[in-house]
Amino acid sequence: MRIPLGARAHAGTAALLAVLTVAACLLLSGIPRTTQASFDEALRRALVAAPAVETDLTVVGEVALREGELRERAQFEAADRRWRGFLPAALRPLIRPGGHMSAKTVSTPVTGSRGTTFVNLGWLSDADRRVDWTAGRRPGAPSTTSVAGTTVPVIEVGVAEEATRAMGLRVGQTRALGDSTHTVVRIVGVYRAVDPGDRAWSHDHDILHVSHVVSPLGPEEFHTTTLMSDEGLAGLRSSGRNLTYRWILPLDERAVSAQDVPDVGAAVAEFKRWPEFERTGTTSYRVITGLPPLLGDFQGALSAARTVMYLTLGGLLAVALGVIALGVRLLTDRMEHTLAVARARGGSLRQVAAAGAALTAVAVGPAALAGYALAFLLPGPVSPVVHAGPALVVVVAVAYAVTRVVRAHRTPLPERRDDLVAARPSARRVTAEALAVVLALAGVYLLRARGLSGDAGQDPFLLLIPVLLTVAAALITMRCYPYPLRLLVRLTRGGRAAVPFLGLTRAARARSTGALPVLILLPALSVSVFAATIAEGIAATQRAASWQKVGAPIKLTSDVDIPADAIARVRDAPGVDQVALALTGRAQITATGERPLAIAVELEQWRQVVGDAPVDLPALSGSASALLSPALGERGTFEIMWLAPAKLTTQGLIDSLPGFDPGGQFLLMPREALPWPAANTLLIKGDVAPADLARLVPSATVETQEQALAAIRADPLTGTVRTTLLVVTVALGLYALVAIALSLVVGAPERARTVSLLRTLGLSDRQAVRLTLLESLPLTVITALAGLALGLGLPAALGPGVDMSSYAGGLPVGDFSPSPLTPVALTAGLVLCALACAHAHQAAVRRRDLGAVLRVGDRA
C-alpha cells in the first residue's frame, strides 16, 4: 500500500486525528510546565516574604579561649571561604556570593548603670554600604587609656539615631563597659540605615534599634549595639564578655526550585552537622537557619497541589488517549476495504499491519511534534513529564492501529457479524473485571482506614485508587447498561411503533463498539466533575476562612480605646449600616492570677453585622455568662479583674472566635458585663471605603473580608490549583463531546445502511432521527450519570489524601457539595451534542441513493 496515496484518500480523517493529537500533546506538555513554574514562583515568594534571618545560613562562632579570637578582616574572609567549602553540592548553587560577617558582644553593661543600660560592641563587614553617618564621623583605630591603674583599650564607635533618642547617647561621650574587665568606648558618630527595608537587617536588628526589656523581677533595661571600624577588631577581646562571630551565607531565592525542596532540606541538615567535627577547643561553631521549617510548610502545600495535578492530569491523559484511539479506529475503519483487498491479493499480515502503522504515524507523528513544540511557548521548566506525554501519545496511537489491523485481517476476507447477537464475554474476562472492581473498593477502604504513607503525602497508593475506581465504574457501566434497555425492549415489543423497538434493540446489544466510548466518557465526566467539585469546595472554604479571619465585612481595630465621638462619626458615616462594639484586653482571674485575653462583644449587634455570612457566632445567655477556651477549662463561677472586678459564670468552651484569633487562654463575655463603656474594636457592616474609616479613627487599622479573601486567593499555589482544575474541567468536557461525536461517526456506515434500508420501507426523516437518538443516547445518558456519580464521590473517597487547607486560609476543605450548574451543564452539553450528531447523521443519510443501497446491501 502506498502511504502518500492512502494519506490523500483519508485526508479528512487524518486531519481530525492530527488536530486531536496536537491538542493532547499541548495539554500534556504545557500544563506540567506552567504548574511547575507557578510552584517555583510560589516558593520564591514564600522565601522572599520570610525574614532573611530565617532563610539564610548563619554560621555562629562562640569564642571560648583567647586563642580563638579573630582580630583582622582577613581572618573573617578566610573563615568565610572555609565555610562555603563545606557546603553540600545541592546547596552551593543556591548560596549567593557576598553576604556579610559580624562580630558582636552580648549583654555588655555600662559600668555603674546597675544593670539598666547595655552597650554592646559590634562590627559589620559591609557597614560602609549599609549605613549613612548623619553626625560626627566614622570610627577609627582604637587607642588605650588607664582605668584604676590598668591600661584598657578605647574603641571608637558609632551609635544608631534611635539610641540617641531612647538612651541619651551623644557624640563625644565616653562610656566604660563591663563590671570587672573594662573596655572604654568613645562615641564619635551617629548613623542610620541606607535602606531600612533591606532584608539583611533582620540579622542585625540590634544595630539599628534599641531593645527595651521590662522584667517583673527587676528594673527595665535598654540594650543597643554600636558599630566599630575594621581597626577596632584589634581591641575587641572575649574575656569578661560574650563574644560571638557570625558569617551570613545568603540564600539566592531566585535559584531555588520547587523540585529542589527535598534535596535542599537534606543538604541543610548535612551542613548543620559539620560543626560537630570542627571543635577546636578555642571556638565552638554551630549553624543557625529557619530554612527547614519554611521548606517543610511549603512542601506540605506543594504536596496537595501535586496530588490534585497528578489526579487531574492522569484523567486527562487517559481521556485524551481514548479519544485519539477513537480517531485511530475511525482511520483504520476507513482503510479496512483497501487493506482487505491487499490481504486477499497475497499481502502478508506484517505488510498490512505496517501499512496501517505507517499511515497512523504520518497523521500522529508530526502533530505530536507540533503540540510538543507549542508547549515550549508556555513558561516553565522542562520536566520528564513534558517529554513523556507526546511520546506516549504516539506510541499508543500506533500500537492501537497495529492491534486493530492485525485483529481485523488475521485471515483474508473474514466474515464477521457483530450486529446480530449480543457478545458473550468469556469466564476469564468476567473474572478479571470482577477482580478489578473488588480491588478498587478494597483500595478505597484501605486508603480511608490506614491514611497516607510516604514523604509529604505523595503516596503512590493515593494516585492508583482513582484509576482503579474509574476502571471499575466503567466496567460496571459497560456490563450493566444493556439490561435496563432490554427491559424497555420487551415493553416496546408489542407496540405499534417500530422505531422505539428497533432503536432500543440496537442500543441494548452489548457490542464491542460501545466499550471504548464508555471508557472515554466515564473518566472524562468523573474527573471533570471531581475537578469542579474540588474547585468549588476550595472557593467556598476560602470565603469562610476570610470571614473567620475578619469576623465582619469590615473590622476596625485600635491599640487604645476609641473615643465615643469617633464611634459616633463611624456610625454616621455614609454607607455604614450596622456597628457592633467590642473590647479586648488582658484580664486577671482573681483566684489563680492567670491573665487570659478577655473579649467583650455586643453579640446581638454582631449577628446583625454578619447576617447570613458563612461564620458561626457563639451564643451567651445572660449578661454575666462567659465562654472559655479549652486552655482555661471549666471554671464554674469565677471573678476577674479588668480595670474593675466582674463576676462571671462559665457557660461552655469554645476553640476559636471569628475575627479575633485569640489562641491560648481567652474568654468571651457580653459587653453588657463591663462596668464601663469602652471599645477598641468596631465590627462594621456597610459599603464604605476603608480609607474613609481610617481617617475617622486615625489610631486604628482597618481590615475587610474582601481584602482577606483576595489575599488568600493571591497565593501562587492557590491560583495554580484553581487554574489547573478549570483548564482540566473545560478540556475534559470538550473531550467528552468529541468522544460522542466520534463514537457516532465510527458506527455511521452501519447505521446509515440500516436507516437507508428502512427508508425503502417507508421510514420518514423524523423517524430516522429518533432511531439514531434511541440507539446512541441511552449509552451516553447512562455513562454520564455514572460519571457524575463517580465524580461527586471521588472527593469523599479520597478525603484523607487530598488536604486542600493550604489553599483555603488554613481551614479544612470538607464541603464538597457542588452547585447544580456543573452537572446540569455537562449533561445538557452531552444531550445537545447527541442531538446535533443525530441530525447531522440523518442529513448525510438523506443524500444517499436508495437504489444503490438496494443493489449493494446484502443484509437487512
Side-chain angles (χ1 to χ4, degrees):
M1 177 181 177
R2 297 179 181 178
I3 303 304
L5 182 61
R8 289 195 298 270
H10 306 290
T13 306
L16 174 62
L17 185 57
V19 171
L20 294 176
T21 303
V22 169
C25 293
L26 176 60
L27 290 173
L28 295 175
S29 294
I31 291 179
R33 291 197 65 182
T34 55
T35 53
Q36 188 61 45
S38 63
F39 293 161
D40 294 343
E41 182 62 25
L43 175 59
R44 290 160 188 159
R45 287 193 186 184
L47 294 177
V48 170
V53 70
E54 295 185 11
T55 60
D56 296 343
L57 305 180
T58 303
V59 180
V60 179
E62 296 178 347
V63 180
L65 296 177
R66 193 164 185 173
E67 291 77 6
E69 294 176 355
L70 305 180
R71 302 179 183 177
E72 297 179 357
R73 174 186 284 267
Q75 292 176 303
F76 280 89
E77 293 175 346
D80 180 74
R81 292 190 295 269
R82 185 184 181 193
W83 309 150
R84 291 177 181 270
F86 286 127
L87 287 171
L91 272 180
R92 290 178 184 174
L94 310 181
I95 300 299
R96 288 188 283 110
H100 68 277
M101 301 159 284
S102 67
K104 298 177 185 177
T105 63
V106 181
S107 298
T108 307
V110 174
T111 305
S113 64
R114 297 182 180 180
T116 61
T117 305
F118 296 82
V119 176
N120 301 313
L121 300 172
W123 170 78
L124 287 181
S125 62
D126 56 350
D128 290 344
R129 69 173 183 82
R130 291 173 60 185
V131 299
D132 282 334
W133 297 91
T134 59
R137 61 176 175 84
R138 298 173 184 270
S143 58
T144 59
T145 189
S146 178
V147 176
T150 303
T151 301
V152 296
V154 178
I155 301 177
E156 293 186 352
V157 299
V159 296
E161 289 183 339
E162 185 176 315
T164 63
R165 297 189 297 268
M167 301 176 63
L169 301 178
R170 297 290 185 269
V171 174
Q173 289 180 344
T174 300
R175 291 287 187 269
L177 307 181
D179 293 328
S180 57
T181 303
H182 294 280
T183 297
V184 176
V185 295
R186 180 179 294 118
I187 301 174
V188 298
V190 178
Y191 61 82
R192 66 183 174 193
V194 173
D195 180 12
D198 188 352
R199 297 178 68 243
W201 282 117
S202 65
H203 292 282
D204 306 298
H205 184 270
D206 56 328
I207 289 180
L208 283 186
H209 302 284
V210 174
S211 298
H212 184 202
V213 180
V214 179
S215 174
L217 303 179
E220 59 180 356
E221 302 173 1
F222 292 89
H223 296 251
T224 188
T225 301
T226 61
L227 274 181
M228 67 175 68
S229 64
D230 291 356
E231 295 83 357
L233 284 172
L236 187 59
R237 299 288 184 266
S238 61
S239 57
R241 60 183 59 89
N242 299 318
L243 177 59
T244 59
Y245 302 139
R246 284 180 172 83
W247 291 264
I248 309 301
L249 307 181
L251 182 73
D252 185 0
E253 296 82 6
R254 307 302 301 179
V256 183
S257 170
Q259 294 176 327
D260 301 332
V261 168
D263 295 336
V264 172
V268 171
E270 179 184 350
F271 184 60
K272 294 178 72 173
R273 286 194 297 267
W274 71 260
E276 299 177 3
F277 308 100
E278 291 297 316
R279 295 176 180 174
T280 62
T282 60
T283 307
S284 61
Y285 298 98
R286 69 182 189 276
V287 177
I288 299 176
T289 181
L291 190 58
L294 287 174
L295 295 180
D297 294 342
F298 177 80
Q299 183 68 17
L302 178 64
S303 174
R306 281 179 171 167
T307 298
V308 173
M309 186 186 74
Y310 291 153
L311 292 176
T312 53
L313 284 184
L316 181 62
L317 173 62
V319 172
L321 291 178
V323 172
I324 290 175
L326 267 179
V328 172
R329 177 170 185 163
L330 181 62
L331 180 62
T332 54
D333 287 348
R334 297 288 190 267
M335 298 164 54
E336 185 173 3
H337 178 71
T338 304
L339 295 178
V341 172
R343 187 84 169 96
R345 291 179 177 178
S348 65
L349 183 61
R350 179 180 300 178
Q351 291 174 324
V352 171
L359 188 56
T360 303
V362 168
V364 173
L369 289 176
Y372 176 71
L374 289 174
F376 279 82
L377 298 177
L378 301 174
V382 179
S383 60
V385 178
V386 175
H387 307 304
L392 184 61
V393 168
V394 174
V395 170
V396 169
V398 174
Y400 184 71
V402 171
T403 303
R404 285 274 303 164
V405 172
V406 169
R407 290 188 60 185
H409 301 285
R410 282 177 297 189
T411 57
L413 298 178
E415 290 290 332
R416 295 184 299 275
R417 289 298 305 271
D418 295 334
D419 60 324
L420 295 181
V421 294
R424 294 183 179 274
S426 64
R428 182 179 301 175
R429 183 171 181 179
V430 171
T431 303
E433 292 176 357
L435 180 61
V437 174
V438 171
L439 287 177
L441 296 178
V444 173
Y445 173 78
L446 290 176
L447 177 63
R448 298 191 64 85
R450 75 174 178 89
L452 288 175
S453 65
D455 181 23
Q458 289 302 313
D459 189 352
F461 194 63
L462 171 65
L463 305 180
L464 181 64
I465 294 305
V467 177
L468 290 176
L469 278 176
T470 304
V471 172
L475 292 175
I476 293 173
T477 303
M478 192 169 55
R479 290 301 171 204
C480 294
Y481 88 88
Y483 297 107
L485 295 182
R486 290 174 184 175
L487 179 60
L488 293 176
V489 169
R490 290 188 179 184
L491 295 177
T492 58
R493 182 180 296 173
R496 299 182 59 185
V499 171
F501 173 74
L502 291 176
L504 293 175
T505 299
R506 292 176 60 85
R509 291 174 176 174
R511 299 172 300 165
S512 59
T513 54
L516 194 55
V518 171
L519 293 175
I520 296 172
L521 278 179
L522 197 140
L525 291 172
S526 61
V527 176
S528 61
V529 172
F530 168 75
T533 303
I534 291 291
E536 291 182 20
I538 291 176
T541 310
Q542 285 176 339
R543 184 167 178 265
S546 65
W547 279 98
Q548 184 72 23
K549 183 178 185 301
V550 181
I554 305 173
K555 184 176 70 172
L556 190 148
T557 307
S558 175
D559 293 332
V560 297
D561 290 351
I562 302 175
D565 58 340
I567 297 176
R569 288 196 300 269
V570 171
R571 291 184 185 274
D572 296 336
V576 174
D577 300 328
Q578 295 282 345
V579 176
L581 306 183
L583 181 69
T584 62
R586 289 289 171 182
Q588 185 176 22
I589 299 178
T590 306
T592 62
E594 295 170 288
R595 294 180 58 82
L597 177 67
I599 305 167
V601 188
E602 294 177 340
L603 281 172
E604 292 305 319
Q605 288 81 353
W606 193 7
R607 295 185 193 282
Q608 297 177 13
V609 168
V610 171
D612 58 352
V615 57
D616 294 328
L617 298 181
L620 285 173
S621 58
S623 60
S625 59
L627 294 172
L628 277 61
S629 66
L632 287 175
E634 290 284 352
R635 297 290 176 120
T637 300
F638 61 98
E639 187 176 89
I640 65 170
M641 174 61 69
W642 192 9
L643 298 182
K647 184 173 290 188
L648 302 174
T649 302
T650 304
Q651 182 176 317
L653 301 179
I654 53 173
D655 295 324
S656 62
L657 188 64
F660 291 91
D661 190 23
Q665 293 184 335
F666 70 92
L667 61 90
L668 172 67
M669 56 189 292
R671 190 167 176 272
E672 294 78 12
L674 294 176
W676 67 97
N680 56 15
T681 302
L682 305 182
L683 304 169
I684 303 169
K685 176 183 180 181
D687 185 12
V688 58
D692 295 338
L693 294 176
R695 283 193 293 268
L696 294 176
V697 188
S699 63
T701 58
V702 181
E703 298 177 84
T704 68
Q705 179 267 333
E706 293 180 354
Q707 291 173 346
L709 180 59
I712 294 173
R713 291 178 174 175
D715 180 73
L717 278 182
T718 302
T720 299
V721 171
R722 290 175 59 86
T723 303
T724 301
L725 293 175
L726 176 62
V727 170
V728 170
T729 300
V730 173
L732 288 176
L734 294 177
Y735 270 129
L737 300 181
V738 172
I740 291 176
L742 284 180
S743 63
L744 290 174
V745 173
V746 166
E750 179 186 349
R751 193 180 303 107
R753 183 170 61 251
T754 301
V755 170
S756 297
L757 290 172
L758 291 174
R759 285 178 61 201
T760 63
L761 301 177
L763 187 72
S764 65
D765 291 342
R766 180 175 298 179
Q767 289 176 321
V769 173
R770 291 173 55 197
L771 180 64
T772 303
L773 284 176
L774 287 173
E775 180 182 351
S776 59
L777 199 57
L779 178 61
T780 301
V781 172
I782 292 175
T783 305
L785 294 177
L788 289 174
L790 179 60
L792 294 175
L794 274 177
L798 304 179
V802 185
D803 181 13
M804 297 285 104
S805 59
S806 300
Y807 316 111
L811 294 183
V813 183
D815 183 14
F816 296 114
S817 302
S819 64
L821 178 62
T822 299
V824 169
L826 289 172
T827 304
L830 294 177
V831 172
L832 290 177
C833 181
L835 289 172
C837 291
H839 283 281
H841 177 268
Q842 177 56 26
V845 172
R846 192 184 300 118
R847 294 193 297 267
R848 297 192 65 176
D849 184 6
L850 297 184
V853 174
L854 288 174
R855 289 193 303 269
V856 179
D858 57 341
R859 296 186 183 94

